[in-house]
Amino acid sequence: MNKSDRIIGYISLVALIALFAGIAYGMYEAHQHVTYKAYVDFDELGSLQPEDPVVIRGYTVGTIGKVTWLGDRARVEVKFDEPRPIREGTIFKNVNYAIMGQRRLEIIPNKNGKVLPDDHIHQGTFEPGIAEALRYIEDLNGLLANVRDVVILLTEGDSTHQSAPEIYENVLGTVEGLLENANKTVDKLNPAVRKLISQMNEAGNSVSEVVTQVDTTVKATTDAVNEKIKQAEDAIAAIAEGTRKAEKIIAEIENSDTMDKLVNSREFVDQVTDLIKKTSLVLAAIDTKGIKVYDENGKQVKLFTWKNANLIGKTAREKARIRAEKGESLPNSEPEPVSEPATEPATETVSEQAEAE
């Protein structure tokens, strides 16, 4: 083998190695470029750590990436082996799947929700496993130990605390002493209490008597007041009846035709006016210097005449009345004229004439 063949072999080997390296790098870059990531927050992380598996229905679809502690929660980066859309409603569960406490992330996808963006932060749930159960048992053992110490302290006590039986005995002794003192005090107070009860009974009897007297007085007063109220009601009823009658009379007067004529008729006014006019004429016919009366022609009218005047003895009318009482009569005789004082219209008084008119 000459030198040129050796150089060609080296060059071919280097070229082949470079080719394989390029193919591997390309595959790596392609894998890194298409890897889909998701971020899930957990309130409790447990033993979940990077490179733990991520499964869907038992099949591994990725691994746990970087884990970041945020103070009150842990944020886990999920790396999928292939692009995988995550829809709204997908469940992320941190579960224990091995007896030694190993954990993995189980995803329960939702097919009906909308696709969430790559930077969306999902909320995961933590399910306790064997390690957590052992830890809870250890915590429970610590609590039971504390309870045991408290029970021992209550039953036996120590150098600084009395036991519960001793405390009970002390309290019981104190209560018995209080009861004994209370009995002595009651014995001392019994006479005073009896006297007070007796006074209260006497006061109650006195109050009962006073109440009875007050009840009697109130009853008598109530009867008197009721009687006065009845009288007042009767008086009010009588007044109301009188008012109704007065209103009825007023209504009848208002509805009467006579009153309507007196108030609204012109005839009544004309009669009053004519009466006033005639009265004025009679007054004008009287001579004020002497009691003389003149007629409408201006002639003096005599106030009294002696014609047919019978000053002495019975008048003809009286005699005729006596004969009629006795049953006497003169046949074929004319009746005796009755003498009456001559009366003329002028002899009437002014008031009578006015009334006649």
Side-chain angles (χ1 to χ4, degrees):
M1 178 181 293
N2 55 15
K3 188 176 181 180
S4 60
D5 292 336
R6 187 179 295 179
I7 294 174
I8 293 172
Y10 287 147
I11 293 173
S12 299
L13 181 60
V14 170
L16 186 61
I17 294 173
L19 179 62
F20 280 111
I23 293 172
Y25 180 76
M27 292 177 64
Y28 174 78
E29 287 293 330
H31 180 74
Q32 291 294 326
H33 181 70
V34 299
T35 298
Y36 185 83
K37 295 182 181 180
Y39 298 92
V40 185
D41 285 351
F42 291 97
D43 295 333
E44 187 175 352
L45 188 61
S47 61
L48 188 68
Q49 57 187 352
E51 300 302 327
D52 283 342
V54 177
V55 298
I56 296 178
R57 299 185 185 93
Y59 296 96
T60 302
V61 295
T63 58
I64 300 297
K66 184 173 61 174
V67 177
T68 305
W69 180 249
L70 301 178
D72 59 342
R73 64 190 183 279
R75 179 163 296 174
V76 176
E77 180 186 37
V78 180
K79 294 181 180 182
F80 293 100
D81 297 337
E82 59 183 10
R84 185 174 300 276
I86 298 179
R87 298 180 180 272
E88 189 176 31
T90 300
I91 300 174
F92 297 85
K93 296 169 59 176
N94 184 355
V95 299
N96 178 215
Y97 70 98
I99 193 171
M100 298 304 295
Q102 295 89 337
R103 286 190 167 272
R104 69 184 180 185
L105 180 62
E106 291 185 358
I107 300 176
I108 303 175
N110 183 19
K111 298 180 180 180
N112 299 324
K114 66 178 182 178
V115 178
L116 299 174
D118 297 344
D119 57 350
H120 181 76
I121 306 300
H122 305 276
Q123 183 66 38
T125 59
F126 178 82
E127 292 186 357
I130 297 175
E132 286 73 26
L134 294 175
R135 187 185 65 187
Y136 294 153
I137 292 173
E138 184 180 357
D139 295 339
L140 180 60
N141 289 331
L143 293 175
L144 292 176
N146 294 331
V147 172
R148 183 192 60 187
D149 294 339
V150 171
V151 170
I152 293 174
L153 178 63
L154 291 175
T155 55
E156 298 179 0
D158 57 10
S159 59
T160 58
H161 299 87
Q162 291 181 342
S163 63
E166 293 176 352
I167 296 174
Y168 175 76
E169 290 177 358
N170 294 333
V171 172
L172 186 60
T174 303
V175 172
E176 288 178 352
L178 291 174
L179 291 176
E180 185 178 357
N181 293 330
N183 290 329
K184 293 180 181 179
T185 304
V186 169
D187 293 337
K188 292 180 181 179
L189 293 177
N190 274 335
V193 171
R194 293 193 187 95
K195 184 177 181 181
L196 179 61
I197 293 174
S198 177
Q199 293 177 356
M200 290 176 64
N201 291 331
E202 293 177 358
N205 295 330
S206 301
V207 170
S208 178
E209 294 177 358
V210 172
V211 169
T212 303
Q213 295 176 0
V214 171
D215 188 19
T216 304
T217 305
V218 168
K219 184 177 180 181
T221 305
T222 303
D223 295 338
V225 171
N226 292 334
E227 183 66 24
K228 295 299 181 181
I229 291 174
K230 186 176 182 304
Q231 294 178 2
E233 291 177 350
D234 295 340
I236 292 172
I239 293 172
E241 183 66 22
T243 304
R244 285 194 296 270
K245 291 182 179 179
E247 291 177 352
K248 183 177 180 182
I249 293 172
I250 292 171
E252 291 177 354
I253 292 173
E254 290 178 351
N255 298 328
S256 176
D257 296 338
T258 304
M259 180 59 66
D260 184 66
K261 290 181 180 180
L262 289 175
V263 175
N264 301 321
S265 177
R266 182 67 183 175
E267 181 181 356
F268 176 73
V269 178
D270 294 339
Q271 290 178 0
V272 174
T273 304
D274 185 55
L275 177 61
I276 294 173
K277 186 184 295 184
K278 290 182 179 181
T279 304
S280 300
L281 293 175
V282 171
L283 293 176
I286 298 175
D287 187 1
T288 58
K289 295 181 180 180
I291 306 303
K292 299 178 181 180
V293 179
Y294 298 89
D295 59 8
E296 59 184 3
N297 296 325
K299 295 181 179 182
Q300 182 179 1
V301 178
K302 292 183 179 180
L303 298 176
F304 181 79
T305 178
W306 295 99
K307 184 177 180 179
N308 296 327
N310 187 9
L311 300 177
I312 301 173
K314 298 180 180 179
T315 62
R317 180 177 295 177
E318 293 176 349
K319 293 177 179 180
R321 181 172 56 78
I322 293 172
R323 286 196 301 269
E325 292 176 355
K326 294 180 178 182
E328 298 177 356
S329 61
L330 294 176
N332 299 326
S333 65
E334 296 180 359
E336 185 179 354
V338 179
S339 62
E340 293 179 353
T343 58
E344 295 181 8
T347 61
E348 295 177 354
T349 63
V350 177
S351 60
E352 293 175 350
Q353 184 179 2
E355 291 177 358
E357 294 177 355

